[in-house]
Amino acid sequence: MKKQWGGRFEGQLDPVFERFNQSLGFDRRLLEADVRGSVAWARELGAAGVLKAAEVERLVAGLEAIGRETAADPSRLDGSTAEDVHSFVESALYEKVGELAGRLHTGRSRNDQVATDLKLWARDAFGRVRSRVEDLVAALVTLADEHADAPLPGYTHLQRAQPITIGHHLLAYVEMLARDRGRLKDALARMDTCPLGAAALAGTAFGVDRPTLAERLGFKGGPAGNSLDAVASRDHACELVFCCTQIAIHLSRLAEDWIFFSTHEAGFLRFDDTVSTGSSLMPQKKNPDVMELVRGKAGRVIGDLQSLLVMLKGLPLAYNKDMQEDKEPLFDAFDTTLACLEVAAIAARGARFDRERCAAAAGEGYLNATDLADLLVSEGVPFRDAHERTGVAVRRALELGVELQDLPAATLAELFPELDGDLASLLSVEKVLSRRCVGGGTSPDRVRASVRAWKKRMAAWGM
Ligand code: ARG
């Protein structure tokens, strides 16, 4: 294939370097964006009087045909020797409209072209990630609604700490994911300026109207303000990959919690067969592979962010070919995160909590010790003393192998002379939960109110 830049060269490329240099294998994903960008560019060249109206129409028709044909049959790109997607589209355009194709690149560079393509692609792609986040939020809110009042042991240091509700635990992840959604939205808004017209680095010398060009391509922030920045910056890609990283990290923590919940030892949660696998050797096994993969894939996404940041570090202005390496990490972070969100939502929809086991576990192991100390506090005991005395009671209870409320009456009377109420009822899981009715707390009423608030927010998201 004829090179776009062959004029000053006498020799041919070494085939090994030619393959090394070729990015079509991955930047072919930008084809649709490349066509859109080129159509807008052709129209602006027409408006600027560089191309005649009839020429613009022929170019646009040719570009649109290339878009349609490659969408219908992507194998058209297989085996092409084009250097990158931009060269591919241009050579396909030669086949459609002949020599006129050579006029399209007037005043444009692959540098502003690729920067524009990447943003156009990312806008759609990460809009999809956002809606997958919303879908997972919806699945978790439904589960939280169902289990708003169901007790579950809450942990710190992976030691049983205080009872919480299943709904509360689920809504913690909803908070995280909603922030991820907001972060994506912010990143997309910040990215929304149009590089086209920056040309190679200094700005195009043809009188195209950049605000109109930006508008044609749907960039709400107008044209990028500095041509060097427009072609040389990829902080938007870094931000989007960071958004993916943060999502992946949140999902990995959810995965870890649920993997633990699904162990025989905990027995709080069962995954549906549709997302579980067995062992090739041990017939009894049912493994939570879905969540293990979600947890594992976070590593890749973190690696993608690392690759991008390290590639950009210390690059001089403006464009450098290093930047061709921006695409694979961006695409991989997108693919991986989208897939993780998708399967996490499926796993969430099929997850079955064993409410009885969760409640039983929340009721044993002194998760109500804080509440016993708090009862002493309400009798006027300073908290430090209450803590100390409750600790002594825990030690006694451990020796006897009973819960605090089941200590012998004589022991209770000796340890806590100021308490005369029915301890079994005062320290019941239900009571312990209902005392946490502070805003953001775990009481069933609060969780139900939070579920209502989330449903409202989701409605405002258009769900
Ligand atoms: N394939 C290139 C990339 O992705 C397109 C830009 C090439 N520009 C250049 N001056 N060689 O970065």
Side-chain angles (χ1 to χ4, degrees):
M1 181 174 291
K2 190 162 168 276
K3 295 274 179 291
Q4 288 181 315
W5 39 259
R8 64 107 65 212
F9 289 82
E10 281 178 28
Q12 297 293 313
L13 283 186
D14 184 291
V16 173
F17 172 64
E18 177 137 31
R19 275 198 302 281
F20 187 67
N21 190 40
Q22 202 188 31
S23 56
L24 184 64
F26 49 88
D27 66 16
R28 52 188 289 168
R29 283 176 91 140
L30 299 177
L31 192 139
E32 198 232 303
D34 199 70
V35 166
R36 268 155 72 198
S38 292
V39 165
W41 185 246
R43 293 209 185 284
E44 274 322 298
L45 286 179
V50 178
L51 295 177
K52 299 192 189 72
E55 291 175 328
V56 172
E57 291 321 311
R58 276 177 63 211
L59 285 171
V60 168
L63 287 164
E64 286 174 347
I66 294 166
R68 273 195 310 277
E69 288 162 14
T70 48
D73 178 13
S75 72
R76 284 169 186 260
L77 286 115
D78 298 345
S80 162
T81 57
E83 183 179 321
D84 54 24
V85 67
H86 326 293
S87 326
F88 175 87
V89 171
E90 188 172 302
S91 70
L93 193 58
Y94 268 98
E95 283 171 30
K96 299 274 178 216
V97 303
E99 289 308 312
L100 174 62
R103 294 188 183 274
L104 176 62
H105 212 54
T106 309
R108 184 177 70 164
S109 158
R110 278 184 297 165
N111 299 352
D112 58 345
Q113 195 178 352
V114 74
T116 305
D117 290 3
L118 204 65
K119 283 186 169 186
L120 288 173
W121 175 85
R123 186 203 288 157
D124 289 352
F126 289 88
R128 282 174 63 199
V129 174
R130 202 175 110 188
S131 63
R132 288 289 164 202
V133 171
E134 291 166 357
D135 185 54
L136 178 57
V137 165
L140 295 177
V141 169
T142 303
L143 261 186
D145 199 3
E146 194 183 327
H147 301 297
D149 57 354
L152 175 78
Y155 293 81
T156 63
H157 312 271
L158 211 51
Q159 306 286 325
R160 285 189 193 172
Q162 289 181 334
I164 55 173
T165 58
I166 296 175
H168 197 55
H169 186 266
L170 291 161
L171 290 184
Y173 285 101
V174 167
E175 297 274 350
M176 295 175 224
L177 289 164
R179 285 196 297 279
D180 291 336
R181 177 190 177 276
R183 228 184 312 272
L184 267 173
K185 214 176 141 209
D186 296 346
L188 286 169
R190 207 173 358 265
M191 179 190 82
D192 214 6
T193 60
C194 181
L196 209 53
L201 74 164
T204 186
F206 293 83
V208 294
D209 184 51
R210 291 193 66 210
T212 309
L213 191 57
E215 209 181 298
R216 272 189 207 289
L217 290 170
F219 287 102
K220 295 200 188 72
N226 176 294
S227 62
L228 294 169
D229 172 56
V231 294
S233 293
R234 293 292 185 271
D235 48 297
H236 50 277
C238 298
E239 269 198 89
L240 291 171
V241 176
F242 174 72
C243 291
C244 289
T245 308
Q246 191 57 71
I247 292 169
I249 287 175
H250 286 153
L251 292 183
S252 77
R253 296 184 73 173
L254 174 68
E256 172 60 19
D257 271 345
W258 283 6
I259 289 166
F260 166 61
F261 286 3
S262 75
T263 56
H264 186 72
E265 287 71 14
F268 301 157
L269 175 75
R270 267 175 297 116
F271 291 109
D272 196 71
D273 282 2
T274 51
V275 290
S276 305
T277 60
S279 156
S280 59
L281 188 143
M282 298 165 283
Q284 85 286 8
K285 291 274 280 178
K286 178 171 169 182
N287 297 326
D289 291 36
V290 61
M291 284 293 140
E292 291 171 295
L293 278 171
V294 166
R295 186 176 58 185
K297 282 183 191 287
R300 292 172 71 121
V301 185
I302 295 167
D304 291 329
L305 180 60
Q306 180 91 342
S307 302
L308 259 183
L309 292 171
V310 176
M311 180 275 287
L312 286 164
K313 180 192 171 296
L315 277 191
L317 293 188
Y319 178 83
N320 302 269
K321 192 64 174 254
D322 313 44
M323 292 164 68
Q324 178 162 290
E325 292 289 309
D326 59 0
K327 288 166 207 66
E328 286 164 294
L330 182 65
F331 294 160
D332 185 69
F334 163 74
D335 289 336
T336 309
T337 308
L338 197 73
C340 288
L341 286 164
E342 236 164 48
V343 297
I346 294 171
R349 293 203 162 93
R352 298 284 165 265
F353 282 92
D354 185 334
R355 292 169 60 113
E356 272 173 33
R357 260 197 87 127
C358 292
E364 64 184 46
Y366 316 109
L367 282 80
N368 52 6
T370 313
D371 286 63
L372 176 53
D374 289 350
L375 287 178
L376 292 173
V377 167
S378 55
E379 295 302 322
V381 180
F383 180 73
R384 272 292 142 244
D385 298 339
H387 187 289
E388 178 77 18
R389 286 169 56 193
T390 306
V392 171
V394 168
R395 204 170 350 117
R396 289 272 189 92
L398 276 168
E399 282 159 14
L400 297 172
V402 297
E403 291 298 318
L404 289 168
Q405 62 276 21
D406 301 325
L407 279 165
T411 312
L412 285 173
E414 172 210 329
L415 290 174
F416 307 116
E418 55 275 85
L419 295 183
D420 52 4
D422 172 8
L423 265 199
S425 142
L426 287 168
L427 294 181
S428 70
V429 175
E430 289 65 35
K431 272 275 163 49
V432 170
L433 287 175
S434 67
R435 283 189 196 105
R436 267 82 194 168
C437 58
V438 67
T442 195
S443 80
D445 283 349
R446 272 295 166 190
V447 173
R448 276 189 282 267
S450 290
V451 165
R452 284 195 296 277
W454 279 114
K455 285 185 174 168
K456 265 204 191 130
R457 269 179 84 174
M458 281 157 44
W461 296 348
M463 300 188 75

